[in-house]
Amino acid sequence: MKNNIFLIGFMGAGKSSIARTLKQQYHMRLIEMDEQIEAEQGMKISQIFSEKGEDYFRSLETRLLEGLQQQENTVVSCGGGVPMRRCNVDAMKKSGMIVYLSAKPETIYGRVCNSHTRPLLEGNMNVEYITGLLKARLPKYLEAADVVVKTDGKSLQEICRCIMEKI
Ligand code: S3P
């Protein structure tokens, strides 16, 4: 089993910030899936959604994960929709531990409300929509997770310590 860490969770759960902190504190390599897809495609995520469609984006996520099998000592900050596909979960399990970062809808809203980089939340930027989508996704997040870490009210350092204690 490779020693990679896959951070999963809803948009705004803190995956990117926590991944950066893990990289610094534990000298891990970092892969930010959305950034890597944007760099490879030469397009922003919102542009990929609008010009190529969501299914195309989902296939890019799957291809990227499959290409990560040889990585070691790497923390991967996954897009929020990654665990919705079973094949993605299988690919992650082959090369590391999956950590679900949980956050309440109100916490998520507070973190994402001023951002316009997430196509699924454009026109849906409210706690009710986030609550509904989180509820629909939660079973898949929990099924994929080896470890669950609550992030509400915790500092980045506390969350990272919690992750390292549990894995
Ligand atoms: C998505 C989450 C986003 C990005 C895309 C779709 C999702 O990533 O991959 O907008 O389906 O939850 P973050 O979770 O990093 O915001």
Side-chain angles (χ1 to χ4, degrees):
M1 164 78 104
K2 304 251 174 61
N3 56 349
N4 302 308
I5 299 176
F6 294 89
L7 299 180
I8 63 165
F10 204 82
M11 295 169 266
K15 300 176 297 264
S16 304
S17 313
I18 294 162
R20 278 194 299 271
T21 312
L22 285 175
K23 171 187 151 100
Q24 283 159 9
Q25 293 194 340
Y26 297 94
H27 311 292
M28 299 184 77
R29 295 192 56 222
L30 168 63
I31 291 176
E32 172 67 51
M33 285 188 66
D34 284 350
E35 270 178 21
Q36 189 143 331
I37 288 174
E38 288 183 337
E40 279 169 7
Q41 297 291 306
M43 290 164 102
K44 291 283 172 201
I45 301 291
S46 51
Q47 207 184 347
I48 300 174
F49 266 68
S50 64
E51 290 182 19
K52 310 263 189 173
E54 181 173 348
D55 283 352
Y56 180 84
F57 172 72
R58 299 300 174 195
S59 302
L60 295 175
E61 288 186 315
T62 299
R63 199 176 71 190
L64 173 54
L65 277 173
E66 282 167 354
L68 297 182
Q69 302 291 318
Q70 301 313 317
Q71 296 292 327
E72 288 196 29
N73 195 37
T74 299
V75 55
V76 182
S77 172
C78 296
V82 161
M84 300 307 112
R85 280 191 177 186
R86 184 67 223 184
C87 60
N88 292 344
V89 176
D90 292 342
M92 293 190 281
K93 286 208 182 283
K94 272 190 207 151
S95 66
M97 298 281 283
I98 304 180
V99 178
Y100 170 52
L101 300 173
S102 82
K104 292 182 185 152
E106 294 75 12
T107 309
I108 291 170
Y109 176 74
R111 290 182 186 149
V112 299
C113 64
N114 292 320
S115 139
H116 293 283
T117 57
R118 298 176 175 94
L120 296 182
L121 296 180
E122 282 304 292
N124 295 314
M125 195 58 92
N126 56 72
V127 174
E128 291 70 29
Y129 181 82
I130 291 169
T131 304
L133 187 55
L134 179 56
K135 203 171 161 203
R137 287 181 165 189
L138 191 59
K140 292 261 169 62
Y141 285 140
L142 294 177
E143 196 184 303
D146 295 304
V147 164
V148 177
V149 174
K150 289 188 181 166
T151 66
D152 303 280
K154 290 199 185 113
S155 70
L156 290 175
Q157 268 69 25
E158 282 173 313
I159 296 166
C160 290
R161 215 178 312 125
C162 220
I163 291 173
M164 288 315 200
E165 275 166 19
K166 288 193 177 198
I167 65 173

